């Protein structure tokens, strides 16, 4: 049994707390919000974010950040990506040398273009920062439905240790050394999911969604490999796998926000309606900046930014994607 504490009591943090508890570990669940902690302790259920999923009494729910980082084997950082830096800064004074911190949020910081693991490492130099990602909606993990993810760490033995911590009969975990690829796949698929949702809102069909998913992963892989990640990662769980589930699922907040924009909502109206952090909106500008920095052609990412931040009609964005110059799908292959 390990001592594994989860920082962030949203839907994903709560679901992982349940998984880790069922795996036989000692678990605490932390939130910075006193009202949220009070509600969870009273109801033992996150009614707004994970309804119908009961939190066992053995899982301690607290606002005591120092207590959650004292003598802990693994700290799981599950706050939404816009709050990763501020939370890491609060954690830093309490983190011991070599502490394993597993980031499970997905995003790229808009101002610095840093991945979340790089942000955590910058704010907490003592930490051994790892990443868990993949096609894993909290609503399904919380209910114990079969799910697969991938864990990445700088050292093989750390990844294999975490594989053992998280793995269960309903939660299968793979390992990979490609931290950068895992994070980029997880962050950038949210932007493509906004496009897929927008297409749904416009009334387009499965053909359109398949095109966005396929060409979306091509864009993500082009950028990722230019930045130094492995192309194989983008065709695995944290790339294509996560992209498929986020573009297609009714649980996806990014797809839902895009759907509402396709129906005529503004970006802010859509975010207000979803009532959860729509991480693709925060990652879209960063993705555009990365494309420009590394001189990578990412037309879907560019059109999503125009719809989000320049009030371009979504239907016009789809039309402009369709009438682009003729391209070869596999330029690396000889005739």
């Amino acid at each position: 049994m390990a001592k594994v504490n989860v920082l962030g009591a949203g839907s994903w943090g709560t679901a992982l707390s349940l998984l880790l508890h069922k795996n036989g570990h000692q678990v605490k669940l932390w939130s910075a919000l006193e009202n949220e902690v009070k509600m969870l302790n009273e109801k033992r259920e996150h009614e707004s974010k994970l309804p119908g999923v009961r939190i066992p009494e053995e899982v301690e729910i607290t606002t005591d950040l120092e207590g959650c980082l004292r003598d802990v084997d693994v700290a799981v950082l599950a706050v939404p990506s816009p709050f990763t830096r501020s939370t890491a800064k609060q954690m830093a004074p309490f983190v011991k040398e070599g502490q394993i911190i597993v980031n499970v949020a997905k995003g790229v910081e808009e101002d610095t273009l840093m991945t979340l693991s790089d942000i955590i490492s910058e704010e907490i130099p003592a930490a051994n920062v790892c990443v868990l990602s993949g096609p894993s909606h909290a609503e399904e993990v919380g209910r114990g439905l079969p799910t697969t993810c991938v864990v990445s760490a700088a050292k093989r033995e750390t990844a294999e240790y975490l594989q053992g911590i998280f793995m269960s009969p309903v939660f299968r975990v793979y390992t990979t050394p490609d931290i950068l690829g895992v994070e980029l796949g997880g962050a950038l698929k949210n932007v493509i999911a906004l496009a897929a949702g927008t297409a749904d809102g416009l009334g387009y069909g499965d053909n359109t969604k398949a095109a966005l998913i396929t060409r979306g992963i091509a864009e993500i892989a082009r950028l990722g490999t230019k930045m130094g990640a492995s192309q194989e990662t983008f065709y695995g769980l944290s790339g294509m796998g996560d992209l498929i589930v986020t573009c297609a699922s009714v649980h996806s907040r990014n797809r839902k926000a895009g759907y509402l924009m396709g129906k005529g909502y503004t970006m802010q109206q859509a975010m207000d309606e979803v009532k959860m952090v729509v991480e693709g909106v925060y990652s879209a500008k960063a993705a555009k900046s990365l494309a420009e920095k590394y001189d990578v052609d990412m037309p879907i990412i560019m059109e999503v930014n125009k719809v989000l931040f320049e009030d371009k009609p979504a239907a016009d964005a789809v039309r402009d994607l369709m009438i682009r110059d003729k391209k070869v799908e596999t330029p690396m292959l000889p005739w």
Side-chain angles (χ1 to χ4, degrees):
M1 181 181 74
K3 189 175 181 181
V4 188
N5 294 340
V6 179
L7 310 175
S11 56
W12 193 211
T14 303
L16 286 174
S17 297
L18 295 171
L19 169 74
L20 292 161
H21 170 73
K22 289 176 183 176
N23 283 359
H25 303 302
Q26 182 181 339
V27 180
K28 285 184 183 178
L29 178 60
W30 172 88
S31 172
L33 307 174
E34 290 187 8
N35 288 341
E36 184 171 54
V37 168
K38 182 181 178 185
M39 178 271 294
L40 290 174
N41 275 314
E42 289 176 353
K43 297 181 180 293
R44 306 306 296 187
E45 178 185 341
H46 210 312
E47 291 181 327
S48 63
K49 295 183 178 178
L50 212 61
V53 177
R54 182 156 183 81
I55 305 169
E57 295 292 339
E58 294 87 351
V59 175
E60 182 181 339
I61 307 170
T62 180
T63 57
D64 179 9
L65 183 58
E66 182 178 2
C68 278
L69 293 167
R70 189 187 305 118
D71 300 322
V72 67
D73 296 307
V74 176
V76 179
L77 186 51
V79 298
S81 60
F83 305 107
T84 297
R85 184 180 290 279
S86 59
T87 305
K89 197 184 294 284
Q90 294 175 56
M91 294 166 60
F94 312 123
V95 173
K96 66 187 178 186
E97 188 68 34
Q99 173 67 62
I100 295 175
I101 296 177
V102 183
N103 173 59
V104 298
K106 299 167 183 177
V108 176
E109 192 169 50
E110 182 182 327
D111 296 336
T112 66
L113 304 184
M114 293 172 70
T115 63
L116 302 187
S117 67
D118 285 339
I119 291 169
I120 299 164
S121 296
E122 182 177 82
E123 295 293 342
I124 315 175
N128 178 5
V129 183
C130 312
V131 178
L132 177 77
S133 192
S136 50
H137 284 306
E139 294 84 353
E140 297 185 5
V141 173
R143 291 165 52 205
L145 301 183
T147 299
T148 55
C149 278
V150 60
V151 67
S152 187
K155 293 184 178 180
R156 183 200 296 266
E157 52 266 34
T158 307
E160 290 177 347
Y161 169 70
L162 291 170
Q163 183 180 39
I165 292 285
F166 284 95
M167 195 144 160
S168 83
V170 294
F171 196 82
R172 183 168 177 80
V173 182
Y174 292 80
T175 62
T176 178
D178 188 12
I179 296 177
L180 176 61
V182 168
E183 287 207 277
L184 288 175
L188 300 183
K189 58 89 184 179
N190 285 328
V191 189
I192 304 299
L194 286 169
T198 301
D200 284 343
L202 288 166
Y204 299 149
D206 294 338
N207 294 352
T208 312
K209 183 171 290 184
L212 287 168
I213 290 172
T214 310
R215 298 312 304 165
I217 203 66
E219 291 189 18
I220 294 169
R222 276 200 300 270
L223 175 63
T225 52
K226 193 77 174 283
M227 292 176 65
S230 297
Q231 180 158 315
E232 292 82 358
T233 303
F234 300 106
Y235 299 104
L237 289 165
S238 62
M240 180 62 84
D242 207 357
L243 181 62
I244 290 170
V245 80
T246 311
C247 288
S249 175
V250 294
H251 299 308
S252 170
R253 66 192 74 169
N254 291 282
R255 180 202 161 274
K256 182 176 180 181
Y259 177 83
L260 293 170
M261 286 188 286
K263 289 294 187 185
Y265 284 57
T266 65
M267 177 190 71
Q268 191 58 54
Q269 287 171 336
M271 290 177 70
D272 291 344
E273 178 72 18
V274 172
K275 296 184 176 67
M276 297 172 79
V277 174
V278 181
E279 293 187 315
V281 172
Y282 294 92
S283 296
K285 283 185 179 178
K288 177 176 181 289
S289 297
L290 285 171
E292 292 167 348
K293 178 179 178 180
Y294 288 93
D295 192 25
V296 175
D297 186 31
M298 301 185 77
I300 299 174
I301 295 291
M302 295 302 178
E303 290 298 334
V304 169
N305 272 273
K306 290 175 183 176
V307 172
L308 288 175
F309 307 115
E310 299 175 21
D311 296 326
K312 182 173 184 174
D316 291 352
V318 174
R319 182 203 63 216
D320 289 346
L321 284 170
M322 293 296 291
I323 62 173
R324 294 169 61 240
D325 291 343
K326 297 173 184 176
K327 299 283 184 179
V328 177
E329 183 182 36
T330 52
M332 73 295 293
L333 298 182
W335 289 98

